[in-house]
Amino acid sequence: MKLVLELLSIALTAAPWLLLGLMVAGLIKAWMPEQLIQRWMGGQGIGSITRAAVIGMPLPLCSCGAIPTALALHRGGAGRGPTTAFLISTPGVGVDSILLTSVLLGPLMALVRVAGAMVTAIVTGLLVGFTKQSISVAAGSSGCCESKSCGDHKQHSKAPSTGWQRSLAGLRYAFSDLLDDISGWMFAGLLLAGVLITLVPPNTMAGFSGGLAALMLMAVIGIPLYICAAAATPIAAGLLLAGISPGMALVFLLAGPITSLATLAILRRELGSQALAVYLVSVLLVTVLMGWLLDMVLVITGWNPVEQASQVQELLPIWLESLALVVLGLVAIRPLRKRWLGF
């Protein structure tokens, strides 16, 4: 019974922010055309890499869904460095995951997560940009997932003609393809977070946290996982309450979503083995360094992210959280969504 109550509490807290994040993600999808992204990502310098990292952050794509978009941009003329930065920053954070991080882990962790994803994307993009060009570029799809959003980089034959139609198309994407991408992982993440909070006493894992070895272990665990940024957030919250350091939670939030085995396979095929090796080493070292710096800063300042999160969670009334959870649950059921909304 306690597990059910904890799961319901986390779901109620997350639902309004996830609903808002999906709406904003849909509007971003509608009003940020791929041709504009490709033009901004041209070149090889730090300016192009930084622009690619900034552009990728708000886009509503998971790690697997970002792959075909990144490949299309690279084959359309984007440099190796900007392509890598885009491939890291896009799944690393998004509007929905930033809002969830703020409410479940506190505004400080949300800010640090954005900064960590940005630094990881820029540094890795710069380093990969120095590697040699791959001899051949493989054609074909990535084959990394079955969702329709993975192939969403392809342009539809008939584009929306008005602003309202464009916005509606973006919302349709957010509440169908994108929601289908993350709903299963979100439920799994919420369930795991509820189990951790219920069955693992506070500070149980405190003895295993702290130090570079623990941070390195968390990065090694997170890198091969395929988990979206939104689903990683409640898991990190549960781990944090179980006693790991905020730095370890940050490493998981960064290393888990930004890469996966599918990402690594496609990166090797597209950019070569040398670029893959540089990518892995850079992601590992930068995420660990960001986690270590966060732990040091928190020790010096005495800030407590968990206390910040509890204050943010009290902002919304229970009736609004309940309504948002009901709406989100109904929209996530495909037959109901298709019948009521036509999505």
Side-chain angles (χ1 to χ4, degrees):
M1 186 62 182
K2 185 180 179 182
L3 173 61
V4 176
L5 293 176
E6 290 291 350
L7 181 60
L8 181 61
S9 175
I10 300 173
L12 285 171
T13 300
W17 306 100
L18 182 57
L19 199 60
L20 177 61
L22 287 170
M23 294 177 63
V24 176
L27 294 176
I28 291 174
K29 177 70 176 177
W31 292 96
M32 188 177 286
E34 185 176 294
Q35 293 86 348
L36 183 61
I37 297 175
Q38 187 168 327
R39 185 165 68 248
W40 286 345
M41 287 176 57
Q44 296 283 354
I46 188 173
S48 300
I49 293 173
T50 302
R51 286 196 301 272
V54 172
I55 291 169
M57 282 191 171
L59 294 184
L61 294 172
C62 60
S63 174
C64 207
I67 291 174
T69 303
L71 294 186
L73 293 172
H74 180 243
R75 295 172 186 180
R80 296 160 63 81
T83 300
T84 303
F86 180 86
L87 196 58
I88 290 176
S89 69
T90 303
V93 288
V95 178
D96 52 347
S97 60
I98 293 173
L99 292 173
L100 283 178
T101 305
S102 181
V103 71
L104 293 180
L105 296 171
L108 176 63
M109 287 295 290
L111 180 62
V112 174
R113 184 179 188 179
V114 172
M118 175 73 73
V119 172
T120 305
I122 293 175
V123 172
T124 306
L126 284 172
L127 294 177
V128 170
F130 289 121
T131 61
K132 296 180 180 180
Q133 179 67 40
S134 180
I135 296 177
S136 62
V137 177
S141 63
S142 63
C144 60
C145 62
E146 298 178 356
S147 169
K148 291 181 291 183
S149 65
C150 284
D152 197 72
H153 64 281
K154 297 178 182 179
Q155 296 297 318
H156 297 288
S157 57
K158 184 177 180 181
S161 57
T162 66
W164 167 250
Q165 290 176 336
R166 177 181 293 183
S167 299
L168 186 61
L171 293 175
R172 182 180 291 112
Y173 164 79
F175 285 97
S176 55
D177 292 352
L178 180 59
L179 184 58
D180 288 343
D181 271 350
I182 71 173
S183 57
W185 292 105
M186 272 300 302
F187 178 77
L190 291 171
L191 181 60
L192 181 55
V195 170
L196 288 170
I197 296 173
T198 304
L199 303 181
V200 181
N203 299 322
T204 298
M205 302 177 65
F208 300 97
S209 67
L212 290 176
L215 295 170
M216 191 78 70
L217 176 62
M218 187 62 73
V220 171
I221 293 173
I223 284 176
L225 291 179
Y226 173 62
I227 184 171
C228 67
T233 308
I235 298 176
L239 290 171
L240 191 60
L241 292 175
I244 71 169
S245 69
M248 290 181 67
L250 177 64
V251 171
F252 178 77
L253 289 172
L254 294 176
I258 66 176
T259 188
S260 65
L261 291 179
T263 307
L264 300 180
I266 298 301
L267 189 72
R268 180 182 181 276
R269 189 178 68 182
E270 188 76 9
L271 302 182
S273 299
Q274 185 183 24
L276 175 63
V278 171
Y279 176 94
L280 281 172
V281 172
S282 178
V283 169
L284 181 69
L285 294 181
V286 175
T287 55
V288 168
L289 178 60
M290 295 299 296
W292 179 79
L293 287 175
L294 175 62
D295 281 340
M296 293 299 101
V297 170
L298 293 180
V299 168
I300 295 173
T301 60
W303 291 337
N304 189 339
V306 178
E307 290 182 358
Q308 283 191 356
S310 63
Q311 294 172 0
V312 174
Q313 291 171 12
E314 298 172 356
L315 291 177
L316 299 180
I318 185 65
W319 67 265
L320 182 58
E321 294 179 340
S322 302
L323 179 61
L325 183 59
V326 170
V327 172
L328 199 59
L330 292 176
V331 176
I333 302 174
R334 296 186 188 183
L336 293 179
R337 180 179 69 210
K338 185 176 181 180
R339 180 177 179 181
W340 293 351
L341 300 178
F343 286 6

